[in-house]
Amino acid sequence: LKQSCTSMSQLVDNMVTLLKMEDGSYQFSPIALDLGEIVDGVIDAFSLSAQNKRLEIQFNRAQRYLIQCEDMLTSSLISNLYRNAIEAAPRGSAIQVEINREVKHQVLTIHNQGMIPEDIQGCFFDKYVTYGKRNGSGLGTYAAKLMTEIQQGVIEFSTSDIDGTTLTVKLPV
């Protein structure tokens, strides 16, 4: 119930936010927040989904990872990516979430053993791109890309059948 309410609320917020980003009227107002706390909240919100697939979630944070961001944007973009990782991860596998510091960025990586299908790798972050999801809108990774870029960040992925998929988000310190 908690996850459903959180998802529904984020969906409505995201739609309004996406429209503003697309038409150029979104006003970005960053504040200093701890990326690790945001990630903890996302992992907690999706804990039931992870448990249902018997996924091992690996996230250890030993320090604060301050970034200049908006809480709702950052939480939504991480939620979109983390939800995809849960859906793509094989049952009983692991998802690794890490934060590392670069000079000008905190770098968040989310890794799972699933591979992004070759058919959509070239357009993975495009609007309405989805693959094999009955109720997928194709807006999750598109929204994550917009939300990352509006915060002066960078988002990318690597994927292969052997190594799985790693999504990387770099957000300014």
Side-chain angles (χ1 to χ4, degrees):
L1 185 59
K2 179 181 176 182
Q3 180 181 342
S4 294
C5 288
T6 300
S7 293
M8 197 57 133
S9 176
Q10 280 182 343
L11 181 64
V12 172
D13 289 342
N14 287 349
M15 289 297 112
V16 172
T17 302
L18 283 177
L19 288 173
K20 288 181 179 181
M21 285 182 201
E22 288 177 329
D23 73 15
S25 67
Y26 188 81
Q27 296 296 314
F28 178 53
S29 302
I31 60 172
L33 293 171
D34 184 352
L35 180 59
E37 287 182 14
I38 297 170
V39 171
D40 278 336
V42 169
I43 290 172
D44 184 52
F46 289 95
S47 62
L48 186 58
S49 295
Q51 288 172 8
N52 287 341
K53 284 191 77 174
R54 292 190 170 91
L55 298 174
E56 178 188 347
I57 307 305
Q58 301 167 351
F59 177 56
N60 297 317
R61 97 180 150 95
Q63 62 186 32
R64 292 181 55 145
Y65 300 95
L66 293 179
I67 56 173
Q68 290 295 318
C69 69
E70 287 186 20
D71 191 19
M72 188 274 293
L73 287 183
T74 306
S75 179
S76 293
L77 83 87
I78 295 168
S79 292
N80 287 333
L81 300 178
Y82 187 67
R83 181 185 315 111
N84 281 355
I86 289 172
E87 291 170 355
R91 185 175 187 77
S93 65
I95 294 176
Q96 294 93 24
V97 181
E98 292 183 12
I99 303 172
N100 293 294
R101 173 77 191 255
E102 288 183 350
V103 175
K104 296 183 180 183
H105 297 94
Q106 299 290 4
V107 181
L108 170 70
T109 58
I110 302 172
H111 175 79
N112 66 284
Q113 283 303 312
M115 181 180 125
I116 297 170
E118 287 182 26
D119 294 349
I120 65 167
Q121 288 179 17
C123 56
F124 183 67
F125 293 113
D126 291 354
K127 194 173 191 179
Y128 305 126
V129 172
T130 188
Y131 189 93
K133 294 182 185 177
R134 249 185 12 197
N135 299 316
S137 67
L139 292 174
T141 55
Y142 172 74
K145 181 174 174 42
L146 285 181
M147 291 175 181
T148 300
E149 290 175 349
I150 202 112
Q151 297 185 97
Q152 289 88 47
V154 176
I155 186 169
E156 55 196 14
F157 72 88
S158 64
T159 191
S160 75
D161 193 33
I162 295 169
D163 297 325
T165 299
T166 301
L167 286 149
T168 304
V169 177
K170 297 179 181 184
L171 294 169
V173 294

